[in-house]
Amino acid sequence: MASERDLRILEAISDGCSSPQEIADRLDLKIEAVLSAAESLAESGLISVDKKVIERFSLTEEGRRYAREGLPERRLIDIIGDGKPLSELQDPALKIAIGWARKKGWVRIDKGVLRPLGRPAEGEDEIALRMLLDGEKTRSEIGSAVDLLIKRGLVTSSRSKSWRYGITDDGKRVLSQIGEHAAPATEISQLTPEIIKSGAWRGARFRPYNVRVLGETIYPGKIHPYRRLMDRMRRIMLEMGFTEIKGEIIQSSFWNFDALFQPQDHPAREMQDTFYLNTKAEIPDYRAVKEMHERGGGIGSTGWGGVWDPEIARQEVLRTHTTAITIKYLADNPEPPVKAFCIDRVYRREAIDATHTPEFEQLEGVVMDRGVTFSNLLGILKEFYSKMGFEEVRFRPGYFPYTEPSVEPEVWIDGLGWVELGGAGVFRREVTAPFGIEHPVLAWGLGVSRLAMLRLGLKDLRLLYQPDIGWLRDTPVSVFRGV
C-alpha cells in the first residue's frame, strides 16, 4: 500500500503537476523526496515517467566576440580584397584565419599571394553563432555545425535532466478506491529513540527506501584544479630543499635576453614573440656582458661579433620566461650553494586557440654548487617527475640557447606514449662568467599549463582560465597521485 506522502504526490500528478519541481513546490517537499516517491509509484504502475536529457549550447566569451565581429576567416576575406601577399599578413591571429579559410575552400595561395575564391556565402557555423547570440539553443535548433564550433572553443554545452509524470489508469483507480476522506495508513519513515522506547514500532508499517535513486549532488568548496596542481609543484620543490624566488613581470631586455647570451638580433626578440613596452629600464654594469657578446669574454668563446647596443638592452618587456628571474638571482648570489625555483606567469604574443594563450605559467629551477654535474641534473629531474606521479621518465638530447649540454625530459602517458615535458641543461659559461659565477649551474623549466592539460584530461587550454562552473564542479578534487 502506498504511503501518505506517496498518495499526496499521486494526487498532485492527477491534478496536472507533471514535473518534480512543481510537485515539490506544491507539497512543500524536497525534490529528492519527490523523485524517490515517483520512482516507487512508477514501479507499482501507478504513474508513467518520461525522462529526457536536454543538451543546450551557449557561446564562450570568444564565441560571443566572433558572433558580433565575424569569424576570423570572414574578416580575412575583407582584409585581402582581390589578393594580398602572405608577407603582409604577420598578425598571429590571421595565421589561424588563413588555415580555416583554406579548409573551407574560400582562398588559395598563388605564388605567395593569398587570393579569395569569390565571395563565400554565410556558412552553417556562422548562422549558428548568430542564433546563439540570442541565447541558449538545443541541437535541433542550430544543427550539426555546433560540433565544429565546440572544437574551436567558441561554444560550450551543458546537459540537464527532465522528468514528466502522468497518472495511469491503475493510479486513478487507487485514488478512487481510497476516496477523498479515507485516512491513509500510518507509516514510519524514520526510526527514532522515542519510537523504540514507546514500542510504537510494533505492528507499524515502515516506509521502503529505493536505494537505486540517486541522492542530491553536493558541490563542496574546493581549490581550483590548476591552482591545486601549482601548489603541489611548489610543495615538491620545497620538500627537495629549494628556495622559492619571485621577480617583476616587467623586465629589461638585459635580464630577459642579453644576460642569457641571446644575440640582439635573435628572432625570439621580434615583436611577434615579445610584448615590448614604451619604457626604458636602468641596467647594471654591462661591460662584461657586452664583451662576452662581442668577443667571447676571454673564456675561449667567439661571442656573437658585431656591436652590442646598451639601448636595446634597456628596452622593457613583459617577461617571456621565468629564466629572467633566476639569472638575476644568480647574479645577486654568485657564491654557492644556490638552490632556487620560480613558478610564475610569463607573456608571449600568441594567437589564442585550444593550445596557446598569450599568458601562461612556467616552473623553473636552478642548482649552483661546487662539483655538480649533468648526472646530478638528471637525478633531480627524475626525482621531481616521480613526485609528480610519473613512474616512467627518460631523457633525450636537446638544444637550448643558453645551456650546454641540454636535454628534454619525457614521461610516459597512457594513451599518448612518450610526451616531452620541459627542457633542462647546464648554463653555458657565456651566461655565468660575466656575473662572476665560477661553479656549474644546473637549470630546467617546464610549461605548467601543458602538464595541467595532461593531468586534467583537457583538450582546450582556455578552460584553465575561464570561469566554467560546470567544469569546476565536475573536476574531482584528486586528479593525480599526491594532490
Side-chain angles (χ1 to χ4, degrees):
M1 182 166 180
S3 69
E4 178 183 358
R5 185 196 63 181
D6 291 352
L7 291 174
R8 291 173 62 204
I9 291 173
L10 188 61
E11 284 183 326
I13 294 172
S14 178
D15 289 343
C17 293
S18 58
S19 74
Q21 193 61 58
E22 282 182 281
I23 299 169
D25 293 341
R26 175 171 174 172
L27 303 180
D28 193 24
L29 295 172
K30 287 186 177 181
I31 194 168
E32 293 78 24
V34 175
L35 291 170
S36 175
E39 191 81 17
S40 177
L41 291 170
E43 287 181 355
S44 300
L46 304 182
I47 65 170
S48 61
V49 181
D50 181 19
K51 293 182 182 179
K52 290 183 179 178
V53 176
I54 302 174
E55 186 175 22
R56 296 187 177 276
F57 302 91
S58 59
L59 295 172
T60 64
E61 185 178 344
E62 185 180 14
R64 190 169 297 279
R65 186 173 78 250
Y66 287 163
R68 294 193 182 103
E69 301 174 0
L71 288 168
E73 56 267 30
R74 177 66 65 180
R75 300 202 305 271
L76 176 70
I77 296 296
D78 297 330
I79 290 172
I80 64 175
D82 295 331
K84 204 173 190 69
L86 289 172
S87 59
E88 296 182 17
L89 302 173
Q90 293 298 320
D91 187 337
L94 291 180
K95 295 179 181 179
I96 296 175
I98 293 170
W100 280 108
R102 293 186 68 186
K103 187 178 294 186
K104 291 181 175 182
W106 289 5
V107 298
R108 64 184 174 88
I109 298 175
D110 181 19
K111 296 179 180 179
V113 177
L114 191 67
R115 299 189 186 280
L117 297 174
R119 181 70 186 179
E122 186 178 33
E124 292 182 0
D125 53 350
E126 294 174 294
I127 295 172
L129 275 179
R130 178 162 44 79
M131 293 176 64
L132 285 167
L133 196 56
D134 296 331
E136 288 186 337
K137 296 288 186 295
T138 62
R139 184 178 292 274
S140 62
E141 293 174 301
I142 56 177
S144 60
V146 71
D147 295 324
L148 178 61
L149 296 173
I150 289 175
K151 288 181 180 179
R152 295 182 68 171
L154 306 181
V155 169
T156 185
S157 67
S158 61
R159 295 187 178 189
S160 61
K161 294 180 181 178
S162 72
W163 291 262
R164 307 299 293 180
Y165 301 136
I167 192 166
T168 64
D169 291 339
D170 286 345
K172 293 176 183 177
R173 191 159 39 252
V174 167
L175 288 179
S176 66
Q177 290 173 353
I178 292 175
E180 292 185 1
H181 304 291
T186 302
E187 178 184 80
I188 295 177
S189 60
Q190 183 176 4
L191 193 62
T192 65
E194 289 74 19
I195 292 175
I196 295 174
K197 290 176 182 177
S198 67
W201 57 272
R202 292 187 178 90
R205 183 165 54 84
F206 292 89
R207 179 166 69 89
Y209 286 88
N210 187 343
V211 296
R212 291 178 295 176
V213 176
L214 295 177
E216 180 183 3
T217 302
I218 298 175
Y219 299 106
K222 57 187 177 183
I223 299 173
H224 192 288
Y226 193 33
R227 169 54 57 188
R228 197 161 61 244
L229 184 139
M230 286 192 286
D231 288 345
R232 172 59 179 162
M233 289 182 169
R234 180 175 285 107
R235 288 198 303 271
I236 289 173
M237 298 301 290
L238 294 173
E239 288 168 2
M240 292 176 68
F242 285 78
T243 298
E244 183 172 10
I245 59 175
K246 291 285 186 178
E248 300 296 330
I249 290 173
I250 297 174
Q251 293 286 334
S252 66
S253 292
F254 179 86
W255 290 115
N256 202 79
F257 298 121
D258 295 278
L260 296 169
F261 196 57
Q262 284 195 12
Q264 293 190 330
D265 59 355
H266 194 282
R269 297 195 184 206
E270 294 179 6
M271 290 295 290
Q272 62 261 34
D273 292 321
T274 306
F275 288 105
Y276 280 90
L277 307 179
N278 293 324
T279 51
K280 299 281 188 176
E282 292 296 324
I283 59 177
D285 185 350
Y286 55 77
R287 287 174 294 180
V289 171
K290 175 181 172 69
E291 172 66 19
M292 185 64 71
H293 276 252
E294 292 181 349
R295 288 176 287 275
I299 62 168
S301 173
T302 60
W304 298 115
V307 177
W308 185 88
D309 187 349
E311 288 306 308
I312 294 177
R314 289 191 178 98
Q315 181 70 56
E316 289 191 318
V317 300
L318 295 184
R319 64 188 180 203
T320 62
H321 48 197
T322 50
T323 320
I325 310 304
T326 52
I327 185 60
K328 187 176 187 302
Y329 184 80
L330 287 166
D332 293 338
N333 300 272
E335 294 300 321
V338 171
K339 199 173 181 182
F341 78 98
C342 178
I343 181 168
D344 223 329
R345 186 163 291 191
V346 298
Y347 305 83
R348 295 179 190 173
R349 286 174 59 88
E350 297 272 11
I352 298 176
D353 59 26
T355 56
H356 297 87
T357 58
E359 49 183 302
F360 53 96
E361 282 70 31
Q362 277 189 339
L363 168 68
E364 181 153 343
V366 291
V367 174
M368 185 263 286
D369 204 353
R370 296 175 177 85
V372 292
T373 67
F374 187 64
S375 295
N376 296 130
L377 174 63
L378 300 185
I380 292 171
L381 290 171
K382 191 167 184 179
E383 178 71 9
F384 172 79
Y385 285 112
S386 175
K387 286 179 176 290
M388 285 297 297
F390 298 104
E391 296 180 358
E392 296 184 64
V393 184
R394 74 178 187 183
F395 306 98
R396 61 182 176 86
Y399 169 76
F400 302 103
Y402 33 86
T403 58
E404 180 60 37
S406 302
V407 69
E408 292 180 346
E410 293 182 335
V411 298
W412 179 263
I413 304 290
D414 288 338
L416 295 177
W418 290 103
V419 177
E420 179 263 314
L421 276 185
V426 181
F427 270 165
R428 294 171 57 163
R429 287 287 291 141
E430 288 94 337
V431 174
T432 58
F435 301 105
I437 301 169
E438 298 297 332
H439 302 283
V441 177
L442 314 180
W444 80 95
L446 64 94
V448 179
S449 56
R450 185 176 186 186
L451 178 60
M453 288 185 71
L454 292 172
R455 278 306 186 198
L456 298 172
L458 301 181
K459 294 183 179 178
D460 194 328
L461 181 64
R462 290 168 290 193
L463 271 176
L464 294 175
Y465 304 98
Q466 291 176 352
D468 187 331
I469 191 66
W471 176 72
L472 294 174
R473 283 176 170 177
D474 293 339
T475 302
V477 171
S478 180
V479 293
F480 63 90
R481 192 182 78 190
V483 174

